Amino acid sequence: MEKLENSIRDYDWGSPTALAELLGHAPTGRPEAELWIGSHPAAPSRLLSNGRSLTDVLKEHPEENLGPEVVASQPAECVSLPFLMKVLSADAPLSLQVHPDAQQAKAGFMLEQSSGVPLDAPHRMYKDPRPKPEMILALTPFKALTGFRSADKGIPAWVLLRDNSSREDTQAVAQTVITHLMHRDYKSALSFLLTGVENISDVVADAVQIVERDEEAARTVDAMLPLLPWLNQKYPGDSGVLVSLLLNYVELEPGQAVALQAGNLHAYLHGTAVEVMGNSDNVLRCGMTSKYINVDELMSIVRFASLEPTWVRPDQEKPGIELYSTEFDEFELVRIKGASSGNISLRGPACIIALAGNVTVRGADGTQIQLGRGESAFIPASAGELSIEADEDAHAYLCATPLNRQPASAASGSSATITR
């Protein structure tokens, strides 16, 4: 077991203070968006003891660190954790985005590699050949957009905009979207808003004014409508402001979590959370961003179907220990909160971060580590069954990889089993 030093990504939507306050470090003065814990080559964690990259450490002793199932699941040239763990804090909306599945990620990565697109090029879309399923677990009240909502839920907002505008272009745009939604044609509705409206900024401004004239009336029609002025303030005239009306709006309370499958068009809006995902940085964007946008590529990835939010409800294995499990092969998440003790059987690697209090982790191999606020650690597969002891102020998250979701030759390969 090794304590880690992790990178903080300074994306423009990040909060300048939230991560510093949560983790107990001095603010940098920059918008701190994401703390990365893992072995992704874009920002690998480093061992606190000697500064070595976790990526390099894994490559030196792959079976000891990752376990045989994880090693067998990966190409020989790709030795890495199957998951990436983040602490994320959004002070402004993230881009409207989507992530590829395994086949799409591999094909997109190979195409850009063969075309000679540098990995750090601003227009590079596929940074690695891996999928990026993910789960977001709220630490504070957290707002997000996730997946196309049903046409029946989406149409009333467009009717309000159509019937309360004096502009012919707004009326025409709203009616076109309504027609597409009536036919459950989410693809045409999205394509139209992204590329088919000549004066989109004027239509966005008009829609915002309609909502601002009577925000409470708008709220009774659709809880999403009052967000339009705020989104427009962050991204004036952006087509994504209107695209948001096609998606499910969710508000997570601390401890609540949702999972996002490949092809799920989404955007995180505001709040602080723990995010776990496949070990990938593949993102296709279509709006509300200063980064590269490729609408055609995004349209080839998106799932054009009504997708209700996939809530992930924890199983309480012991007082103070909860397991958040999804359908994904890459990860599951254990939350440790308050005085608790228990055993966790690992058949692969894990990473853990403490947000408060003190947590002690002991391995069957005799190794031990104690974590306080803001400290994190890598736990190798060789540690075996873990013993967890946490004090009454403890608040920590351990990410591992499920086992037996598919044959070992294709599985990602570890398991966190909590013993009562």
Side-chain angles (χ1 to χ4, degrees), residues 134-136 146 257-261 264 309-312 326 328 331:
E134 60 190 41
M135 179 179 74
I136 192 89
T146 168
V258 292
L260 293 93
Q261 308 88 344
N264 183 322
T310 304
W311 294 91
V312 183
T326 72
F328 306 137
F331 60 80

Side-chain angles (χ1 to χ4, degrees), residues 266-290:
H266 65 281
Y268 299 143
L269 302 179
H270 191 270
T272 301
V274 171
E275 186 183 21
V276 290
M277 65 199 68
N279 187 19
S280 173
D281 195 28
N282 288 326
V283 182
L284 288 304
R285 301 177 179 87
C286 68
M288 298 197 306
T289 183
S290 58

Side-chain angles (χ1 to χ4, degrees), residues 211-238:
V211 173
E212 289 178 332
R213 283 201 296 267
D214 195 340
E215 188 171 303
E216 287 309 309
R219 190 188 309 276
T220 62
V221 172
D222 188 333
M224 183 62 211
L225 282 167
L227 287 180
L228 296 193
W230 179 66
L231 294 174
N232 189 61
Q233 183 182 9
K234 303 295 183 179
Y235 300 102
D238 194 290

Side-chain angles (χ1 to χ4, degrees), residues 85 135 137 139 274 276 312 314-326 331-337 340-346 350-355 359 379 386 388 395-402 415-419:
M85 189 179 188
M135 179 179 74
L137 185 151
L139 298 174
V274 171
V276 290
V312 183
D315 295 321
Q316 184 164 330
E317 305 289 342
K318 282 181 69 73
I321 299 180
E322 295 177 316
L323 175 66
Y324 291 79
S325 185
T326 72
F331 60 80
E332 59 188 6
L333 189 67
V334 176
R335 181 168 78 154
I336 303 160
K337 202 166 192 307
S340 55
S341 63
N343 295 331
I344 299 178
S345 298
L346 295 179
C351 287
I352 183 171
I353 183 168
L355 303 181
V359 178
I379 302 171
L386 306 180
I388 304 291
H395 186 189
Y397 292 88
L398 181 145
C399 185
T401 311
S415 176
T417 303
I418 299 174
T419 306

Side-chain angles (χ1 to χ4, degrees), residues 89-101:
S89 189
D91 204 34
L94 280 68
S95 57
L96 280 164
Q97 60 187 261
V98 69
H99 308 305
D101 63 24

Side-chain angles (χ1 to χ4, degrees), residues 170-301:
T170 301
Q171 295 168 7
V173 168
Q175 183 56 53
T176 299
V177 174
I178 290 168
T179 300
H180 290 318
L181 292 181
M182 289 177 66
H183 290 91
R184 308 303 191 259
D185 190 350
Y186 303 103
K187 183 174 184 179
S188 294
L190 178 62
S191 178
F192 173 66
L193 290 174
L194 292 178
T195 63
V197 184
E198 226 174 272
N199 52 341
I200 187 68
S201 60
D202 293 336
V203 175
V204 170
D206 187 37
V208 168
Q209 288 177 1
I210 292 169
V211 173
E212 289 178 332
R213 283 201 296 267
D214 195 340
E215 188 171 303
E216 287 309 309
R219 190 188 309 276
T220 62
V221 172
D222 188 333
M224 183 62 211
L225 282 167
L227 287 180
L228 296 193
W230 179 66
L231 294 174
N232 189 61
Q233 183 182 9
K234 303 295 183 179
Y235 300 102
D238 194 290
S239 60
V241 175
L242 294 180
V243 170
S244 67
L245 294 177
L246 300 177
L247 307 179
N248 293 290
Y249 172 52
V250 295
E251 294 181 330
L252 287 74
E253 293 300 318
Q256 291 185 315
V258 292
L260 293 93
Q261 308 88 344
N264 183 322
L265 184 63
H266 65 281
Y268 299 143
L269 302 179
H270 191 270
T272 301
V274 171
E275 186 183 21
V276 290
M277 65 199 68
N279 187 19
S280 173
D281 195 28
N282 288 326
V283 182
L284 288 304
R285 301 177 179 87
C286 68
M288 298 197 306
T289 183
S290 58
K291 296 183 178 180
Y292 178 69
I293 288 175
N294 188 318
V295 171
D296 290 340
E297 187 68 18
L298 177 132
M299 295 290 288
S300 72
I301 298 298

Side-chain angles (χ1 to χ4, degrees), residues 38-117:
S39 62
H40 194 279
S45 299
R46 296 185 176 276
L47 304 192
L48 190 62
S49 59
N50 56 24
R52 296 193 64 210
S53 165
L54 181 57
T55 304
D56 294 338
V57 172
L58 297 179
K59 290 177 180 178
E60 286 184 358
H61 303 285
E63 291 220 358
E64 177 184 335
N65 286 312
L66 299 176
E69 289 93 350
V70 172
V71 171
S73 74
Q74 299 177 344
E77 70 277 7
C78 179
V79 178
S80 68
L81 294 175
F83 55 78
L84 177 61
M85 189 179 188
K86 298 180 182 179
V87 184
L88 173 153
S89 189
D91 204 34
L94 280 68
S95 57
L96 280 164
Q97 60 187 261
V98 69
H99 308 305
D101 63 24
Q103 185 175 1
Q104 293 163 340
K106 184 176 180 180
F109 179 77
M110 292 178 64
L111 179 60
E112 288 190 310
Q113 286 290 93
S114 63
S115 301
V117 182

